[in-house]
Amino acid sequence: MDTTGTLFFPPGGSTYAGDVDSLFYFIYYASAIMFALVIGATIFFIIRYRRRQQTGKTYGKDHNFALEVTWTVIPTILILIVFVWGFRSYMRMNVVPRDAMEVKVTGQKWFWSFAYGSGASSVNELVVPVGQPVKLLMSSRDVIHSFFIPNFRMKMDVLPNRYTITWFEATRTGEFDLFCTEYCGQGHSEMIGRVKVLGEREFSEWLDAGSGPGQGESLVDYGRRLYTSRACNTCHSIDGSANVGPTFKGIFGRQEAMVAGGFITVDENYIRESILQPQAKVVAGYQPVMPTYQGILKDRDIDALIAFMKSLSNE
């Protein structure tokens, strides 16, 4: 198991990461050796057969059959090795195992959301069990994104109006970086998540807790947790500071001027509408860039976020 990484790659964390690395280094070292041989031979011939005064001496025939066969056969063998090796690796990375657990992945400006068959969901945090194949069924709500987990050597474009599919099997527990590697607008550099790989028991507990508030957890505390886990904190502060969107501190009950004109009181209905239809009523001074959370947040989640905002207005 690779836990140290190499010069070019971070530590591997999936079943096919080692195969990808081995093929890369085979190509790298074969290319380096061929480069050294060609450059070395070029330098030798430049020196050995440099232009001299005319002596009438000749250097033999200008055709060498054995040499031409050698520089044709060896590269051909290398190309065939790379083709067969690469094709086998490609098939392994693209044929999803039958027993894979499916997770629905949705990309949108500018975060990732994940939906599980049990009803649990998460934002910017893909939680999976170790040693279990995971199938990712991916699509985009807006533009092209690209789903990339460097430690797993896994990358796949995420497209609007269609599904793309990939899979991986994590070989060790821990947390790993997740990036969007297709430029998707102003917040592209902030579209960063993580993959959390848990043991089987810990993953089962997470699924149970991920469907709603934890045991004994108040609605306000659940809303506070959603504020972070659903990436609200990337655009909305809770300390009154300016950000991409209005601060949550003191927002409930406040009068806000609208881009379209007029004022509106921030109440439960306005907050719910802003979460599900964020472009319907935009606060003056802010760009209409908030994505919809339709299908991502349940009614209980929205109630919790509203309760959390109320608590900030009462502080």
Side-chain angles (χ1 to χ4, degrees):
M1 183 185 300
D2 178 16
T3 59
T4 58
T6 63
L7 176 64
F8 295 99
F9 297 108
S14 70
T15 50
Y16 51 66
D19 199 32
V20 172
D21 294 358
S22 297
L23 178 56
F24 170 84
Y25 280 109
F26 176 81
I27 296 173
Y28 175 79
Y29 287 120
S31 299
I33 292 171
M34 295 295 290
F35 176 81
L37 289 174
V38 170
I39 296 301
T42 301
I43 294 173
F44 171 77
F45 291 138
I46 289 173
I47 297 173
R48 177 70 177 81
Y49 299 106
R50 66 187 183 277
R51 184 180 180 90
R52 295 187 177 92
Q53 293 181 350
Q54 296 295 333
T55 60
K57 182 179 179 180
T58 60
Y59 292 101
K61 59 184 179 181
D62 58 1
H63 175 73
N64 189 312
F65 180 77
L67 183 60
E68 292 182 0
V69 169
T70 300
W71 71 41
T72 301
V73 170
I74 292 179
T76 301
I77 293 174
L78 292 175
I79 290 172
L80 289 175
I81 292 173
V82 170
F83 172 78
V84 174
W85 194 344
F87 181 75
R88 292 179 60 184
S89 298
Y90 173 83
M91 294 302 296
R92 183 182 181 192
M93 296 171 67
N94 285 273
V95 177
V96 182
R98 293 178 179 271
D99 60 342
M101 176 190 76
E102 183 172 296
V103 179
K104 176 66 175 67
V105 181
T106 302
Q108 62 190 94
K109 299 186 289 188
W110 286 278
F111 63 88
W112 302 102
S113 60
F114 306 98
Y116 298 77
S118 65
S121 62
S122 60
V123 171
N124 284 341
E125 184 177 75
L126 173 61
V127 183
V128 298
V130 67
Q132 169 70 44
V134 178
K135 173 185 175 181
L136 303 180
L137 181 64
M138 304 189 292
S139 64
S140 168
R141 287 182 181 267
D142 37 52
V143 298
I144 299 176
H145 302 281
S146 189
F147 192 87
F148 178 43
I149 309 174
N151 293 88
F152 294 173
R153 314 298 188 256
M154 192 223 77
K155 180 179 179 293
M156 179 63 70
D157 285 347
V158 181
L159 310 175
N161 302 317
R162 63 173 295 180
Y163 291 116
T164 53
I165 297 172
T166 189
W167 77 280
F168 65 85
E169 180 181 337
T171 55
R172 57 190 175 92
T173 58
E175 294 189 8
F176 306 93
D177 292 326
L178 164 62
F179 301 102
C180 174
T181 51
E182 182 76 32
Y183 181 72
C184 52
Q186 178 183 358
H188 169 68
S189 61
E190 299 174 6
M191 196 167 173
I192 299 173
R194 60 180 178 173
V195 180
K196 182 182 289 186
V197 182
L198 304 176
E200 184 177 350
R201 180 175 61 84
E202 291 82 0
F203 178 70
S204 297
E205 293 174 352
W206 179 86
L207 280 181
D208 293 337
S211 300
Q215 185 174 3
E217 187 176 31
S218 69
L219 200 61
V220 171
D221 289 338
Y222 181 45
R224 187 184 302 274
R225 181 156 59 89
L226 289 172
Y227 167 74
T228 301
S229 66
R230 296 300 187 262
C232 304
N233 59 339
T234 60
C235 296
H236 303 277
S237 73
I238 57 175
D239 60 3
S241 60
N243 207 326
V244 176
T247 180
F248 284 173
K249 184 176 179 61
I251 194 172
F252 191 85
R254 191 166 64 201
Q255 288 276 325
E256 293 282 10
M258 299 288 104
V259 169
F263 291 82
I264 195 167
T265 300
V266 178
D267 57 10
E268 291 88 347
N269 287 320
Y270 173 73
I271 294 174
R272 180 181 179 85
E273 182 183 42
S274 296
I275 290 173
L276 301 179
Q277 301 177 51
Q279 314 306 323
K281 297 182 179 70
V282 180
V283 175
Y286 296 94
Q287 296 297 317
V289 295
M290 178 172 169
T292 177
Y293 278 78
Q294 185 81 45
I296 299 175
L297 293 178
K298 304 174 185 176
D299 287 342
R300 186 66 169 169
D301 300 337
I302 296 174
D303 293 342
L305 284 169
I306 293 172
F308 174 55
M309 292 184 199
K310 287 181 178 179
S311 73
L312 294 174
S313 296
N314 296 330
E315 292 180 354

